[in-house]
Amino acid sequence: MTAATVLPGPRLRRHTERMSHSMTAPSTPIPRSAWSLRKMLILPSAALVVAVAAVIGWLSYTAGRDAVDAVAKRLLLETRGRIGQAVERHVVGSRAVLEAAFPDGMPMPDAIEGELAALRRRFWIATSLHTDPNDYVYYGSRSGQFFGLKRLSEREAEVRLKTAPTLQRRITRFAGIDGDERFLSDETRLYEPRERPWYKAGQTADAHTWTSVYIDFRTNELVSTRARKVLSPQGQVQGVVATDVSLRALDDVVGAIIISAHGFAFILEPD
């Protein structure tokens, strides 16, 4: 029979405590070198993802910006072209009106009384070419006489006649190129053609010329006038023939051009 070894009390307790401490001791901590390696692997990948996302975002922004700029430039060019066409139609039409009213080189006598029938016929034809906007053509002489024809419609026109410097203009109307004139009224204010901007500009210009914008005598609208001098049989300046372009008509044309919800078009004089 084998005898059991019995440890003394205090030694047994210390031995038990050592065994218990060894069983409950924490695991060995991860070295710092392992965390550093993990950071070295993760951080570059994250930085790469951020960089790629930034590059894609920038490319998308620049592509969108360039597309918007391209559309805006194309729209601007189209708008400018449409305005140019409208203005060109007015410019070309006004020249044709003056040439039909007074062909280049056609002389004019001192007095207009003997030319009234011919003037009315030529001016009717002239205002038939480009009724919108060149519906008014007129002539002023160096002696202060005046003859003008204003188209009111396709069939009706108004004549404004002044045969002496001290007289007011007489307004008559007629229908058809050979229709009889009926008296409408005499203007209350004295109209002096030689003092008007169109006459002063036309008599000194060598060819067709445009006036600056000014206020029309009868309508009080802003207009610009194309004018050209008319010579006498002796080659001297006998008078000036002119036609108006209403700025309201141009404004209506330009205002009808749709650019954007907050955009608008306009025309400027060079000066």
Side-chain angles (χ1 to χ4, degrees):
M1 182 173 184
T2 305
T5 304
V6 178
L7 295 177
R11 294 182 60 187
L12 176 61
R13 286 196 300 272
R14 286 196 299 270
H15 179 71
T16 304
E17 289 175 356
R18 283 197 300 270
M19 289 182 62
S20 174
H21 178 75
S22 63
M23 291 177 64
T24 59
S27 59
T28 305
I30 299 175
R32 290 181 175 271
S33 59
W35 282 107
S36 300
L37 179 60
R38 184 176 299 177
K39 291 180 180 179
M40 291 177 60
L41 294 176
I42 293 176
L43 291 180
S45 301
L48 180 61
V49 171
V50 172
V52 171
V55 170
I56 293 175
W58 172 253
L59 292 177
S60 299
Y61 167 76
T62 54
R65 182 190 61 189
D66 293 342
V68 171
D69 289 343
V71 172
K73 289 179 180 178
R74 185 170 67 250
L75 179 60
L76 180 61
L77 291 175
E78 292 177 356
T79 303
R80 187 175 66 181
R82 292 170 63 186
I83 295 175
Q85 290 176 0
V87 174
E88 184 68 18
R89 183 168 63 89
H90 286 63
V91 171
V92 173
S94 61
R95 182 182 184 89
V97 167
L98 293 189
E99 290 303 318
F102 262 103
D104 192 16
M106 174 180 285
M108 182 68 183
D110 292 336
I112 67 173
E113 286 87 349
E115 299 291 323
L116 293 180
L119 287 173
R120 198 181 92 160
R121 180 174 290 272
R122 290 205 310 270
F123 283 21
W124 173 277
I125 294 172
T127 54
S128 300
L129 299 177
H130 299 279
T131 305
D132 181 20
N134 304 114
D135 58 357
Y136 183 35
V137 61
Y138 47 94
Y139 167 79
S141 73
R142 64 180 180 179
S143 62
Q145 295 182 317
F146 179 89
F147 180 88
L149 189 144
K150 169 78 171 179
R151 289 295 288 272
L152 304 176
S153 65
E154 184 178 352
R155 290 286 300 166
E156 191 175 17
E158 180 177 281
V159 171
R160 302 169 186 175
L161 176 63
K162 177 184 176 77
T163 57
T166 58
L167 297 177
Q168 281 84 2
R169 291 191 299 184
R170 171 160 292 193
I171 311 300
T172 59
R173 289 185 180 179
F174 66 96
I177 190 170
D178 296 320
D180 295 331
E181 294 184 25
R182 65 184 186 276
F183 174 76
L184 187 63
S185 66
D186 287 331
E187 290 182 332
T188 57
R189 293 188 297 159
L190 184 64
Y191 182 84
E192 174 51 75
R194 294 168 294 185
E195 296 299 323
R196 301 300 295 168
W198 58 270
Y199 189 94
K200 294 179 178 181
Q203 70 173 344
T204 58
D206 295 330
H208 290 252
T209 186
W210 284 94
T211 68
S212 298
V213 176
Y214 65 95
I215 299 175
D216 182 72
F217 180 85
R218 188 171 176 84
T219 65
N220 290 324
E221 292 183 3
L222 294 176
V223 297
S224 181
T225 301
R226 186 168 192 157
R228 176 176 62 80
K229 61 186 176 184
V230 176
L231 302 179
S232 67
Q234 293 75 32
Q236 300 175 339
V237 177
Q238 186 65 45
V240 174
V241 62
T243 183
D244 292 341
V245 172
S246 170
L247 266 65
R248 186 175 66 178
L250 277 178
D251 185 65
D252 291 341
V253 172
V254 175
I257 298 175
I258 300 175
I259 300 176
S260 67
H262 304 288
F264 60 92
F266 57 90
I267 301 174
L268 293 176
E269 282 191 289
D271 56 354

